[in-house]
Amino acid sequence: MAKFNITQIKGVIPAMFTCFDENEEVDVQRTIDFTNYLINKGVDGLYITGSTGEGFLMTNEERNLVTEIVCKTVAGRVPVIVHVGDIGTKKSINMAKYAEKCGADAISSVPPFYFRFNQEDIYNYYNDISESTDLPMIVYNVCLAGLMSKDFVKQLASIKNVKGLKFTAREHDEMCLLKEALGKDFMIYSGCDEMATQGLLATADGIIGSFYNVIPETFVEIYNYARQGEYVKAFEIQKMATKFIHFVLQWDCFPVMRECLRTRGLVDPGYSRRPFKAPSKETMDQVWAFCAELKKDNGITHMDFIDKF
Ligand code: MN9
């Protein structure tokens, strides 16, 4: 059974990596350890098997397995949102039902992609999945899957179980207008980590993103300042985080982030699946040099994997 309702799902929510082993198989022990690691870091929820979770590189059965392990490990400590997006409604419905059975608190989905589905098809996709369970649905609007317009999102929000929106874009004007139009109980999550503070200022209820895997504590601090209205303090930290994010975005960013955690011995979140590739030694040397410089310039970076070493 779900333990949280949608308005309790807020704050810092990592779009969690899926932990694959050296042979690209789902690694159960690493998944358990990484789940506990993130919760101990103070995150407010987990968003699993999404783009950062490399969900589209996995079979639906593998995604279900991850849902099962994470829900069991979390055991109600924080909300779990399961991304069930796929290009076929039936596949997504199966994953949504499985998520509900495992005790997830919400489901989420990108619109169906690859084929050029029209708005009616996309509306039906969300409607059919939403009707298949009692869980709240968080629509995921991201340019990778084709950005949906503000008016169309409003239409989707009229579907009974559609209760939130994850919005990944650098500008927040539409997101802010949507929050105002859809009301305080319609939850909005900003998905652009390099603009997290600005997203919170633009009234997002929470932030969901990849970099909260590697520097969750940084964004917990940012979120706490933002909640107190201390946006200038939040932004001081954000500026350093944004520098780090931009630097890492030069490469396949998930494997680089995983390597940062592993090398520092904080936790081992496993590896990515091909075609993502492991960073070369030269790449990691550049990352470490960058981190050392950031620390030298600022004294404290608010990122544990830099500050504590
Ligand atoms: O929404 C992630 N977006 C995508 C989540 O994967 C498209 C973000 O966390 C980005 O990875 C991050 C870096 O641009 O903001």
Side-chain angles (χ1 to χ4, degrees):
M1 272 283 281
K3 302 239 173 26
F4 297 89
N5 66 42
I6 189 74
T7 57
Q8 293 171 305
I9 306 181
K10 53 191 179 184
V12 181
I13 304 175
M16 190 179 161
F17 294 142
T18 297
C19 302
F20 298 109
D21 67 15
E22 288 79 350
N23 300 316
E24 299 185 45
E25 298 302 329
V26 173
D27 187 320
V28 176
Q29 193 54 48
R30 279 185 171 114
T31 307
I32 295 171
D33 294 346
F34 191 46
T35 303
N36 285 326
Y37 173 82
L38 290 173
I39 295 178
N40 291 337
K41 281 285 186 183
V43 303
D44 301 294
L46 296 173
Y47 184 98
I48 63 172
T49 63
S51 1
T52 306
E54 300 176 32
F56 299 121
L57 312 187
M58 299 164 73
T59 65
N60 294 164
E61 290 70 27
E62 289 172 324
R63 289 167 68 172
N64 285 344
L65 172 66
V66 170
T67 301
E68 193 178 324
I69 305 168
V70 173
C71 286
K72 253 195 208 143
T73 307
V74 168
R77 286 178 287 172
V78 295
V80 177
I81 307 163
V82 180
H83 176 265
V84 299
D86 211 304
I87 61 174
T89 307
K90 207 163 161 46
K91 296 165 85 185
S92 297
I93 287 179
N94 286 338
M95 288 187 281
K97 284 183 186 287
Y98 198 80
E100 185 171 47
K101 208 171 93 191
C102 291
D105 299 281
I107 50 173
S108 178
S109 180
V110 293
F113 51 89
Y114 185 70
F115 299 110
R116 285 185 189 214
F117 295 111
N118 63 27
Q119 286 201 347
E120 191 186 345
D121 299 326
I122 297 174
Y123 181 93
N124 289 340
Y125 171 84
Y126 280 110
N127 194 49
D128 292 342
I129 300 170
S130 300
E131 276 184 351
S132 75
T133 78
D134 288 331
L135 295 177
M137 157 67 85
I138 298 168
V139 169
Y140 184 11
N141 205 7
V142 57
C143 54
L144 288 175
L147 214 55
M148 298 175 281
S149 74
K150 181 157 100 333
D151 287 336
F152 185 55
V153 171
K154 271 192 197 161
Q155 236 173 290
L156 294 176
S158 71
I159 297 173
K160 185 166 154 269
N161 281 343
V162 171
K163 299 280 172 61
L165 172 72
K166 167 163 150 57
F167 191 76
T168 298
R170 289 225 159 97
E171 63 280 357
H172 291 104
D173 48 350
E174 287 203 357
M175 189 195 79
C176 184
L177 291 172
L178 276 167
K179 177 74 191 172
E180 194 166 87
L182 296 169
K184 72 173 190 356
D185 291 345
F186 187 90
M187 302 301 274
I188 297 216
Y189 309 94
S190 172
C192 183
D193 313 355
E194 50 277 50
M195 296 286 283
T197 304
Q198 293 93 323
L200 292 167
L201 179 61
T203 67
D205 299 289
I207 49 179
I208 302 178
S210 342
F211 279 81
Y212 317 143
N213 283 287
V214 60
I215 43 173
E217 65 284 345
T218 314
F219 286 91
V220 167
E221 210 178 336
I222 287 175
Y223 179 71
N224 287 338
Y225 276 129
R227 225 176 20 182
Q228 296 157 23
E230 299 265 25
Y231 287 99
V232 175
K233 282 188 182 151
F235 194 65
E236 282 304 312
I237 303 174
Q238 176 78 55
K239 271 201 306 202
M240 286 181 275
T242 299
K243 273 191 196 160
F244 170 68
I245 293 170
H246 276 227
F247 194 74
V248 170
L249 285 177
Q250 296 177 68
W251 301 283
D252 288 345
C253 66
F254 309 148
V256 172
M257 284 189 256
R258 291 178 194 262
E259 208 54 48
C260 288
L261 288 169
R262 186 171 25 249
T263 310
R264 295 303 206 197
L266 291 170
V267 66
D268 183 351
Y271 302 86
S272 287
R273 267 193 173 167
R274 286 172 296 169
F276 289 121
K277 60 190 170 309
S280 66
K281 180 173 177 311
E282 290 69 37
T283 297
M284 287 315 295
D285 285 348
Q286 285 185 54
V287 173
W288 298 127
F290 175 85
C291 292
E293 195 69 18
L294 201 64
K295 190 169 173 181
K296 198 169 116 231
D297 290 348
N298 296 282
I300 166 171
T301 68
H302 302 260
M303 302 177 219
D304 282 356
F305 88 96
I306 302 179
D307 289 343
K308 296 205 166 155
F309 298 91

